[in-house]
Amino acid sequence: MHELVENTKEIQGNAWKQGLSEISIHALQERLDATEKNGQKPFSDFSDVDMLQWFLHRREHLNQQHEKSTRTVQAYERELLQFIEQLLTYSVEINVDLGQVVNGSLFKSLSTRHIRRYQEWLSEKSPYVLAKGAYSVATLSRKTTIIKTFLKFLFESGYITEPIHEGFFKVNIQKDDRPNRDLGPKEVIQLLDYFREIHHPIVFSIIHILTMTGMRNEEFTRLRVKDLQYDSITGTYYLEVLGKGNKRRQIPLKDKGMNSIRLFRSARGIDDINTAEGNDPLFTTNTGRAYSPSYLSQYITKAIKESGLPFLKFRSSSIGPHTFRHAFAIISHLNGVDVYQIMKSLGHEQLTTTEIYLEKVFEKERHAIHLWKSDVFGEYI
């Protein structure tokens, strides 16, 4: 086991956490081409590190715009590095009883029992659970999906010979397992009124724009001045947004949305949109830099929590940027917008995703009590 730890240390180096260069992935492709040319088995000379590199950064689509986003790759890399590090660091606690290390490879030495034991340890006895309590079902599902996808890739590519990904227990997310991100128009208006009354144009503008556009956190933080464009045919402004899978969509802006953009930039003391450079961030922190998704989430969540508005105490989860994406869906539905149209506006690939945003609203609307008649239950209805 000591030898395995030593051989796998490079996986935890800084180079992995910074991502791979274009040259590295090209070098791996050239090696694969060489093995094919020589009639050898694919990945026959790849190490565990090489396989992780290839899984994360290999090209799969002819049109590179359809490749995984940098943020998605980073999320996969973070989860898989943690998986490897935990297997090595806590091998005794997990009971990873490797009788024999296969060619110095961790992945080739694993069996389905190791995967099952790891999943049980992760959910019941890992340091995070012992310190902070159980993972949410959604978090466990995400971690399981990422690791399972990687191990399935190793099997299907022939790098490992056993389908060890089948060792995972199923983690099914039920409706009640999801955090409550529902937010209706009355609550959004309360938030907007509050931040306007305390003269906080920054948070006011961010909430206003997120609600009116339904943008993802990452989409908002990537916006540049040049992404704000004017349509001379309709006489309106719109935002050119880069979404998941590097897919672009255009989001129209109401006049008051434009007012909030101008208000934000004025409050920050940065150039008006008419004089700013095209590559400048559309929204900036107080240091003049673009928000990172994590910082924007922390900033908005903290500001809303500190507002102390009465309705917040009835919520089971905090309000962050993504909550206003749900608010967009709910407000659109209440305005009679078709769910398919809401799906396209949000940039969802599947209708079922949009329906998840609205399922609790649908459930309340379809409750039997709404069909009760006063002549049946009298004055008490």
Side-chain angles (χ1 to χ4, degrees), residues 54 103 105 124 142 150 274:
W54 183 253
N103 298 327
S105 166
E124 299 171 6
R142 186 193 74 244
F150 175 59
N274 295 320

Side-chain angles (χ1 to χ4, degrees), residues 113-367:
R113 69 178 184 279
H114 301 132
I115 299 305
R116 185 187 69 251
R117 290 170 184 173
Y118 170 78
Q119 190 182 26
E120 290 174 330
W121 172 86
L122 179 68
S123 64
E124 299 171 6
K125 300 178 181 178
S126 60
Y128 178 92
V129 171
L130 295 178
K132 299 184 179 181
Y135 285 110
S136 68
V137 177
T139 299
L140 279 176
S141 177
R142 186 193 74 244
K143 288 176 175 291
T144 299
T145 298
I146 291 175
I147 300 169
K148 189 173 183 178
T149 300
F150 175 59
L151 296 179
K152 184 178 181 181
F153 161 78
L154 293 181
F155 173 67
E156 292 180 345
S157 66
Y159 185 74
I160 61 176
T161 59
E162 299 294 331
I164 60 176
H165 60 280
E166 295 178 359
F168 279 109
F169 293 109
K170 293 181 180 179
V171 183
N172 296 324
I173 301 179
Q174 304 298 325
K175 178 181 66 175
D176 293 336
D177 293 328
R178 298 189 184 97
N180 177 24
R181 292 196 175 103
D182 287 359
L183 196 68
K186 291 182 180 179
E187 290 79 14
V188 175
I189 290 171
Q190 286 183 57
L191 288 168
L192 290 172
D193 286 346
Y194 171 81
F195 287 107
R196 181 170 57 185
E197 288 168 5
I198 68 169
H199 305 292
H200 202 317
I202 300 301
V203 176
F204 172 90
S205 299
I206 292 174
I207 291 175
H208 192 207
I209 294 161
L210 286 173
T211 304
M212 293 186 73
T213 62
M215 278 187 291
R216 297 179 176 92
N217 187 352
E218 295 85 351
E219 294 170 346
F220 180 93
T221 58
R222 276 199 294 257
L223 286 172
R224 302 286 170 176
V225 171
K226 64 183 180 182
D227 296 322
L228 178 62
Q229 301 177 19
Y230 181 75
D231 184 357
S232 59
I233 297 176
T234 61
T236 58
Y237 284 92
Y238 65 90
L239 290 167
E240 183 87 12
V241 173
L242 183 64
K244 281 188 175 180
N246 292 317
K247 293 183 178 179
R248 293 188 175 274
R249 70 183 189 281
Q250 294 180 343
I251 301 178
L253 281 170
K254 297 280 191 179
D255 289 342
K256 290 186 178 179
M258 276 299 301
N259 291 342
S260 284
I261 292 177
R262 293 191 175 98
L263 176 65
F264 181 98
R265 295 184 66 85
S266 174
R268 280 285 189 235
I270 53 181
D271 292 339
D272 183 77
I273 54 176
N274 295 320
T275 58
E277 295 291 333
N279 285 322
D280 288 349
L282 187 59
F283 302 99
T284 71
T285 65
N286 57 7
T287 63
R289 297 179 179 179
Y291 287 94
S292 69
S294 59
Y295 179 73
L296 180 66
S297 181
Q298 293 169 11
Y299 178 68
I300 293 299
T301 301
K302 183 173 183 286
I304 292 174
K305 183 178 180 180
E306 291 178 348
S307 73
L309 289 171
F311 78 88
L312 295 175
K313 66 182 179 180
F314 297 105
R315 295 184 60 86
S316 59
S317 58
S318 58
I319 296 176
H322 190 75
T323 315
F324 298 103
R325 185 164 161 82
H326 284 248
F328 173 89
I330 291 169
I331 294 171
S332 297
H333 170 71
L334 294 177
N335 276 282
V337 181
D338 179 77
V339 68
Y340 180 79
Q341 194 173 346
I342 298 173
M343 177 195 82
K344 301 299 289 184
S345 299
L346 289 171
H348 285 158
E349 289 291 321
Q350 298 180 343
L351 194 61
T352 52
T353 306
T354 311
E355 290 173 338
I356 288 173
Y357 279 41
L358 296 168
E359 63 182 348
K360 292 180 181 177
V361 176
F362 290 156
E363 183 178 316
K364 292 171 184 175
E365 289 179 339
R366 294 166 182 164
H367 197 281

